[in-house]
């Protein structure tokens, strides 16, 4: 038979073994949990990288659109200025500016024309 001291020793060893098994089991659970956390962190890091790349692409597209719009606005403004200048030139070409002697000649010619017309009517109806 075994002595009581042996039994107590064995019981103590058995309890230490049980505790060691529980601790190892808990440690394995913690290891799994840490692996899971590391995997989550890696997937979040990858997601952030892809989001950063997408944002960079969108900013580049937006910037290109803004540059294009500015260029279009400048081009439209330049074209509008050219058209206004062309319209001013055409208007100035259509506008006739008479000098003083041309006006005097036109007035004298109109008076002569009216006198001739009146004289023609007088002669036509007094015969």
């Amino acid at each position: 038979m075994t002595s009581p001291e042996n039994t107590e020793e064995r019981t103590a060893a058995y309890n230490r073994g049980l505790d060691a098994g529980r601790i190892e089991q808990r440690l394995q659970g913690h290891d799994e949990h840490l692996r899971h956390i590391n995997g989550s962190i890696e997937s979040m890091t990858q997601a952030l990288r892809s989001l950063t790349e997408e944002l960079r692409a969108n900013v580049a597209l937006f910037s290109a659109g803004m540059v294009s719009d500015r260029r279009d606005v400048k081009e439209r403004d330049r074209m509008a200025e050219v058209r206004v200048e062309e319209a001013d030139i055409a208007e100035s070409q259509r506008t006739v500016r008479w000098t003083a002697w041309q006006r005097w000649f036109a007035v004298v010619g109109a008076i002569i024309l009216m006198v001739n017309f009146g004289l023609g009517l007088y002669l036509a109806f007094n015969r």
Side-chain angles (χ1 to χ4, degrees):
M1 283 222 166
T2 57
S3 66
E5 292 173 8
N6 258 349
T7 308
E8 286 178 18
E9 241 180 74
R10 283 186 175 175
T11 305
Y14 177 74
N15 288 335
R16 280 193 308 269
L18 282 177
D19 289 339
R22 286 187 198 125
I23 291 172
E24 184 164 342
Q25 186 178 14
R26 287 183 66 200
L27 286 176
Q28 285 177 354
H30 288 297
D31 288 344
E32 280 296 316
H33 185 67
L34 288 175
R35 270 191 233 110
H36 179 69
I37 289 173
N38 286 341
S40 297
I41 290 173
E42 287 176 18
S43 66
M44 287 301 293
T45 303
Q46 185 62 29
L48 284 175
R49 281 186 190 136
S50 68
L51 182 62
T52 302
E53 290 302 316
E54 185 178 345
L55 285 174
R56 284 183 183 152
N58 287 340
V59 166
L61 183 63
F62 180 73
S63 176
M66 290 299 293
V67 168
S68 175
D69 287 345
R70 282 189 205 128
R71 187 178 59 239
D72 290 346
V73 167
K74 287 179 183 176
E75 184 67 22
R76 277 188 248 131
D77 288 346
R78 189 186 64 74
M79 289 173 62
E81 288 173 6
V82 168
R83 287 186 180 145
V84 166
E85 289 174 8
E86 289 173 353
D88 289 343
I89 290 170
E91 182 67 26
S92 68
Q93 288 174 350
R94 276 188 280 158
T95 304
V96 177
R97 306 244 182 227
W98 289 14
T99 61
W101 69 270
Q102 287 174 327
R103 287 185 205 142
W104 179 248
F105 187 76
V107 169
V108 170
I111 290 172
I112 292 172
L113 183 67
M114 293 295 281
V115 169
N116 281 335
F117 183 71
L119 187 61
L121 285 177
Y122 176 77
L123 291 175
F125 287 116
N126 281 338
R127 282 191 175 187

